[in-house]
Amino acid sequence: MLDTATNRPTLPPEIARRRTFAIISHPDAGKTTLTEKFLLYGGAIQMAGQVRAKGEARRTRSDFMQMEKDRGISVSASAMSFDFHEFRFNLVDTPGHSDFSEDTYRTLTAVDAAVMVIDGAKGVESQTQKLFEVCRLRDLPILTFCNKMDRESRDTFDIIDEIQENLAIDVTPASWPIGKGQDFIGCYDILRDRLELMDRADRNKVAESVSIEGLDDPKLAELVPAHLLETFLEELEMAKELLPELDPQSVLEGHMTPIWFGSAINSFGVKELMDGIGKYGPEPQVQKASPREIAPEETKVSGFVFKVQANMDPKHRDRVAFVRMASGHFKRGMKLTHVRSKKPMAISNPVLFLASDRELAEEAWAGDIIGIPNHGQLRIGDTLTEGEALKVTGIPSFAPELLQTCRAGDPMKAKHLEKALMQFAEEGAAKVFKPIISSGFIVGVVGQLQFEVLASRIELEYGLPVRFEQTQFTSARWLTGPKDKVDAFAAANKGHMAHDNDGDLVYLTRLQWDIDRVERDFPELKLSATKEMMV
């Protein structure tokens, strides 16, 4: 493990070997394929599925919803735990699609590092940039994987320049590609002085690796065609002159990102990336909380809920709360205090995930992600401790950008619809607002595709056909201020007022003018576009 120049105590070995990270990227950069290969190398699965499977080829493990399988996109963040060499990897695959960005933002509060996947042909795309900003706010260390090098890709220096310019982070190459597109034959592993050759024939086969002694080793000339070798040596010479050397401390502080090149679908470059995560990725970090921070080496157990997923198994109306362990050594059957309700909870059947497969977790350490099946007691942002009243902070809830009214196809089933919508609101999949004076519900989401996902899930999971209709409102803001002022304002603007699923007051707006008017005429009231989850 790296020696970091801090005065933190050394972690117990079981915690120090944990690496908890998320994979972030623009849609279609190959994030889910990379996740599959991680599982393949970790020995968790025998054969990797493809996102767009041919015939009955194995589907990917991390996409478990019907809609994800139909469309070949990830809709919901999923967690996986597996061993790789001496490390225990806890990997969270996040949706790349911007319509599900809120799920992704929350997931990034539960990890210690991020692996950024970039498409070799497209470079840094808009969604990558957005997610990167969130990592930057939290100073997350970032490791970069440039994927699809076996297709027509851009010049290596162009890609590195673009990352440095757009994301304002130093880039250091951990490997260097030899050839590109059809001519791509492999990479030179700079960190270990090895030549990695790609086998295009068998996608599930581990790449061949040849140890070489420096760049003038005659083995290079035998294995690499002369025209590619010349270009490669020139580029590498330039890279060594122009780009900084790898500084592990700078990586941990989030100022520098090492970049690996490869092709996830051909299982190439993935193992080197995984070695890099083990070697340069951070061990479990201190968690921000009030009234004090939580250090992973504390002996008392604590953890927090960063995601709730309902109906992962359609046969059972189950809800699983994803909990990131923040400290201590958790054992199955422990009683933990649910800080928000101050009630004890016996955690008798916690689960470890391998996407939709799960097994009982007998134990978990700080850094692990476990699932706790429950009937709605646990919500996003909840903290579980061994009695101390700690609250993990910094888990955001964003104001929705799109609002629509939701009605049941059968008016007699309005009660069922309320139950279904509340379930999705607690899961964080949508905001549900109950207007003070009119009937029905207004559903708010971050992206249009979420309405389709909701309609399809309400029909599949509750047998309720629903329709979403346009509403006059365009956005929602949480309203806070002195109680008498808030009450007077709500009474005067009944047509605009609603409650969210926590019962908090929300002001529904039609135009930016509405927001400006409130700020101008009612200076003591505050309209907010985010709220901390379940404070």
Side-chain angles (χ1 to χ4, degrees), residues 24-49:
I24 60 171
S25 81
H26 197 78
D28 286 343
K31 187 167 45 149
T32 303
T33 309
L34 182 64
T35 305
E36 291 279 295
K37 300 298 168 145
F38 276 8
L39 298 180
L40 188 70
Y41 282 119
I45 58 176
Q46 263 54 61
M47 175 188 161

Side-chain angles (χ1 to χ4, degrees), residues 196-234:
E196 309 288 343
L197 297 174
M198 185 171 91
D199 179 5
R200 283 180 187 259
D202 184 355
R203 289 180 160 181
N204 279 322
K205 198 173 131 199
V206 179
E208 193 183 335
S209 175
V210 183
S211 181
I212 52 178
E213 286 165 25
L215 293 170
D216 36 18
D217 191 319
K219 278 192 227 160
L220 265 175
E222 287 167 34
L223 295 165
V224 180
H227 67 290
L228 292 179
L229 184 60
E230 193 184 341
T231 317
F232 157 67
L233 289 171
E234 271 174 26

Side-chain angles (χ1 to χ4, degrees), residues 116 118 123-124 132 142 144-146 154 156-171 257 259 261:
M116 177 165 73
I118 286 179
V124 178
F132 181 85
I142 290 176
T144 306
F145 182 69
C146 185
R154 292 170 38 188
T156 313
F157 284 107
D158 284 354
I159 294 170
I160 290 177
D161 282 350
E162 189 173 354
I163 297 172
Q164 290 190 337
E165 278 173 32
N166 287 5
L167 307 179
I169 189 168
D170 290 332
V171 180
T257 176
I259 182 166
F261 294 87

Side-chain angles (χ1 to χ4, degrees), residues 211-439:
S211 181
I212 52 178
E213 286 165 25
L215 293 170
D216 36 18
D217 191 319
K219 278 192 227 160
L220 265 175
E222 287 167 34
L223 295 165
V224 180
H227 67 290
L228 292 179
L229 184 60
E230 193 184 341
T231 317
F232 157 67
L233 289 171
E234 271 174 26
E235 287 185 347
L236 198 60
E237 192 59 40
M238 276 171 64
K240 286 188 168 163
E241 291 290 315
L242 298 170
L243 298 168
E245 272 195 21
L246 181 67
D247 171 5
Q249 188 56 36
S250 189
V251 172
L252 288 177
E253 288 166 4
H255 305 315
M256 172 183 275
T257 176
I259 182 166
W260 283 264
F261 294 87
S263 159
I265 197 139
N266 288 302
S267 308
F268 183 77
V270 178
K271 190 162 162 298
E272 290 69 41
L273 172 64
M274 291 172 81
D275 287 334
I277 294 168
K279 191 167 179 190
Y280 302 108
E283 28 188 54
Q285 297 294 299
V286 170
Q287 208 65 47
K288 288 190 174 67
S290 70
R292 64 174 187 84
E293 293 185 326
I294 304 171
E297 67 275 4
E298 290 174 24
T299 49
K300 293 237 160 115
V301 173
S302 64
F304 64 95
V305 180
F306 65 94
K307 171 184 166 60
V308 174
Q309 183 69 50
N311 306 337
M312 273 176 85
D313 181 350
K315 295 194 227 19
H316 306 282
R317 283 257 168 271
D318 68 341
R319 302 161 53 91
V320 177
F322 285 65
V323 175
R324 154 75 196 244
M325 303 311 294
S327 66
H329 178 199
F330 166 83
K331 296 188 185 70
R332 184 159 87 90
M334 269 180 116
K335 269 202 165 62
L336 294 179
T337 303
H338 179 221
V339 175
R340 181 168 51 88
S341 68
K342 302 185 180 58
K343 288 182 181 156
M345 277 182 86
I347 316 289
S348 51
N349 52 354
V351 289
L352 275 176
F353 296 103
L354 183 62
S356 57
D357 300 344
R358 34 178 133 157
E359 54 182 65
L360 269 182
E362 292 302 331
E363 58 170 8
W365 294 81
D368 283 338
I369 289 171
I370 60 169
I372 300 181
N374 67 98
H375 295 293
Q377 303 95 311
L378 291 175
R379 297 186 186 171
I380 294 170
D382 278 353
T383 307
L384 296 168
T385 66
E386 282 194 60
E388 193 178 345
L390 294 169
K391 280 189 181 153
V392 169
T393 55
I395 300 181
S397 177
F398 298 98
E401 293 167 24
L402 300 167
L403 298 175
Q404 289 194 0
T405 313
C406 182
R407 300 195 191 287
D410 176 356
M412 303 301 285
K413 295 210 168 150
K415 208 79 200 134
H416 294 286
L417 177 64
E418 179 169 359
K419 190 176 159 204
L421 288 175
M422 285 306 159
Q423 177 116 30
F424 290 127
E426 283 170 18
E427 194 182 298
K431 301 282 175 295
V432 177
F433 303 119
K434 183 94 181 82
I436 286 180
I437 53 176
S438 65
S439 64

Side-chain angles (χ1 to χ4, degrees), residues 57 60 80 127 157 486 535:
T60 58
M80 284 146 264
Q127 186 62 13
F157 284 107
V486 170
V535 186

Side-chain angles (χ1 to χ4, degrees), residues 489-507:
F489 178 81
N493 293 277
K494 278 203 176 111
H496 283 264
M497 303 310 296
H499 287 107
D500 70 4
N501 62 303
D502 297 323
D504 292 339
L505 259 185
V506 177
Y507 177 63

Side-chain angles (χ1 to χ4, degrees), residues 72-91:
I73 56 170
S74 300
V75 166
S76 162
S78 54
M80 284 146 264
S81 301
F82 54 95
D83 287 314
F84 176 73
H85 298 334
E86 71 270 32
F87 298 108
R88 174 74 168 174
F89 279 5
N90 295 306
L91 156 66

